[in-house]
Amino acid sequence: MQGITAPADVEIKQAVDRWAQYTPPGTLQQFDGDALPHTGFAPDNVLIAGGRARLIDWAWPTRGAAWIDPGALALRLMEAGHPVGAAIEFADRFPSWCDAAPEALAAFGTATASLWREIAEQDEALWKRALAKQATALARALDTSP
C-alpha cells in the first residue's frame, strides 16, 4: 500500500489534522503527503487467508506521509508481544520508513504516545491502557534528542 495515492475526490482526513494536537511544535508538516495510510491495524482489521492479507474497517483512513503506516503497524506488533526493537526493525522493511527523517519518526512517536494516552484516559479499558504504555515505549525508542 506504500505506493497508493489517496484519491483526490474522496473526503479523507489529513494527517496534519489528525495529529495536529499531538505533535511536538514545528513537526506537523512532516506528516503531510499524498499517500493513503490505513492507520488502524487492530488485529481484527487485518484478515489473512490464502497467504494474503486484506485490510478492512477503514475507520481512520488518512491522507498523509506513507511512513505513517509502518509506524502504526510497529505499535500493533508491540501490542502482539514483540519488543519495541523488533517492531522498529520490522518497520525498517518499508522504504518510506527508512527514507523518513529521524525527526519525523520521533514526532510520530511523540504524537502516537499522546494520542493513545488521551484515548486511555477517556476509556480505561485494559487494552487501551496497555497500548498507551507501548506507544510511550515506541516514542522513547524513536526519540532522537540528546
Side-chain angles (χ1 to χ4, degrees):
M1 289 186 36
Q2 294 284 285
I4 296 176
T5 301
D9 59 343
V10 176
E11 191 171 322
I12 300 172
K13 193 159 195 168
Q14 302 284 331
V16 294
D17 296 329
R18 184 173 305 284
W19 280 283
Q21 70 186 66
Y22 306 107
T23 59
T27 63
L28 187 57
Q29 75 285 357
Q30 306 261 8
F31 289 71
D32 197 21
D34 291 324
L36 181 62
H38 182 274
T39 72
F41 293 102
D44 54 351
N45 289 352
V46 182
L47 298 179
I48 300 174
R52 295 188 61 170
R54 290 176 174 80
L55 294 175
I56 62 169
D57 189 5
W58 284 71
W60 287 9
T62 304
R63 178 177 284 105
W67 56 259
I68 292 170
D69 261 355
L73 182 56
L75 179 60
R76 290 304 183 147
L77 289 172
M78 292 170 64
E79 178 186 28
H82 297 275
V84 65
I88 292 172
E89 188 175 305
F90 187 85
D92 286 341
R93 296 179 181 189
F94 297 91
S96 66
W97 181 263
C98 291
D99 293 342
E103 304 81 38
L105 303 183
F108 172 79
T110 299
T112 299
S114 295
L115 169 67
W116 279 102
R117 186 171 33 256
E118 180 180 278
I119 289 170
E121 287 169 357
Q122 292 174 0
D123 178 350
E124 294 186 6
L126 192 56
W127 72 269
K128 291 179 183 180
R129 292 193 331 235
L131 208 52
K133 287 180 184 175
Q134 290 157 342
T136 298
L138 181 62
R140 284 188 191 120
L142 294 173
D143 187 3
T144 58
S145 61

